[in-house]
């Protein structure tokens, strides 16, 4: 899947000043049952205890303090999509997973989570976010992005199963598979260009 050029996506860093747009996108349910994009940032028990308002506060504070990174995608001028990313160490759940354990010692930044509003699904938003992230990454000194998409075993899978993205979207954005320890869960990477020094 590639981003549909007919769909005009505008993707911007999710800075604290755009918190209202992120709240609008996630809605009262906090994206997925009160997750507020904390699923891989906390061990299981603290994650489950914090569903809802505690996670909402954690996300807002993380954005304000520069500990949480993300991009917001706007479609028709309204917030419609989100991608979260950060240094791999920011997502301790990865280290506890046999399938997603570190491939090597390269200092990658992990693409951890996507959320698209129902009206935006199937309109190229995931690829648009990935392409915007590739362009944005050098401003943060990122050299390698790493993702953990689902490689669906069937042509149709529940939306709830696709929160890490699907393999086709990552491949369309130029990522390549570097490991696969579970049949439906590859690890993919994209090296990004270094930011050109000021003239």
């Amino acid at each position: 899947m590639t981003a549909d050029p007919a769909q005009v996506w505008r993707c911007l860093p999710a800075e604290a000043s755009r918190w209202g747009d992120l709240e609008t996108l996630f809605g009262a349910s906090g994206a997925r049952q009160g997750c507020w994009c904390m699923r891989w940032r906390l061990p299981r028990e603290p994650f489950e205890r914090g569903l809802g308002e505690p996670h909402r506060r954690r996300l807002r504070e993380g954005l304000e303090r520069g500990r949480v990174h993300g991009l917001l995608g706007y479609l028709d001028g309204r917030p419609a999509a989100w991608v979260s990313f950060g240094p791999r160490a920011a997502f301790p759940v990865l280290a506890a997973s046999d399938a997603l354990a570190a491939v090597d010692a390269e200092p990658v930044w992990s693409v951890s989570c996507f959320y698209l509003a129902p009206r935006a699904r199937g309109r190229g938003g995931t690829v648009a976010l990935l392409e915007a992230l590739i362009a944005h990454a050098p401003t943060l000194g990122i050299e390698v992005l790493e993702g953990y998409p689902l490689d669906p075993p069937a042509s149709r899978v529940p939306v709830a199963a696709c929160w890490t993205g699907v393999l086709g979207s990552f491949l369309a954005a130029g990522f390549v598979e570097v490991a696969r320890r579970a049949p439906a869960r590859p690890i993919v990477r994209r090296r990004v260009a270094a930011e050109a020094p000021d003239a």
Side-chain angles (χ1 to χ4, degrees), residues 8 58 66 70 135-136 139 149 154 157 159 166 173 184 195:
V8 181
R58 284 189 180 95
H136 177 64
T139 69
V157 293
V159 169
V166 295
E195 187 171 36

Side-chain angles (χ1 to χ4, degrees), residues 40 100 114 147-154 156-171 180 182-188:
W40 279 3
L100 303 179
F114 296 87
Y148 317 95
L150 178 68
D151 186 7
R156 295 184 64 85
V157 293
V159 169
C162 300
W163 60 277
T164 58
V166 295
L167 180 59
S169 296
F170 279 85
L171 296 179
R180 187 183 294 236
R185 187 65 68 178
I187 298 175
V188 297

Side-chain angles (χ1 to χ4, degrees), residues 39-154:
R39 177 64 186 91
W40 279 3
R41 299 177 191 278
L42 297 168
R44 182 174 179 175
E45 288 186 12
F47 169 74
E48 291 181 349
R49 285 199 308 269
L51 290 170
E53 178 61 20
H55 287 341
R56 188 192 72 83
R57 289 197 305 269
R58 284 189 180 95
L59 180 58
R60 183 168 190 172
E61 290 170 6
L63 287 170
E64 289 173 347
R65 297 178 183 179
R67 294 196 308 258
V68 172
H69 300 274
L71 295 179
L72 275 166
Y74 295 79
L75 187 62
D76 303 325
R78 293 186 290 159
W82 154 263
V83 61
S84 178
F85 61 97
R88 186 183 160 94
F91 306 104
V93 171
L94 292 173
S97 168
D98 291 338
L100 303 179
V103 174
D104 52 35
E106 186 137 32
V108 301
W109 279 50
S110 297
V111 183
S112 63
C113 180
F114 296 87
Y115 179 76
L116 276 73
R119 68 181 178 85
R121 294 169 190 163
R123 300 178 69 178
T126 302
V127 177
L129 285 168
L130 286 170
E131 291 175 346
L133 176 52
I134 291 163
H136 177 64
T139 69
L140 297 173
I142 300 169
E143 296 181 0
V144 181
L145 292 165
E146 185 174 88
Y148 317 95
L150 178 68
D151 186 7

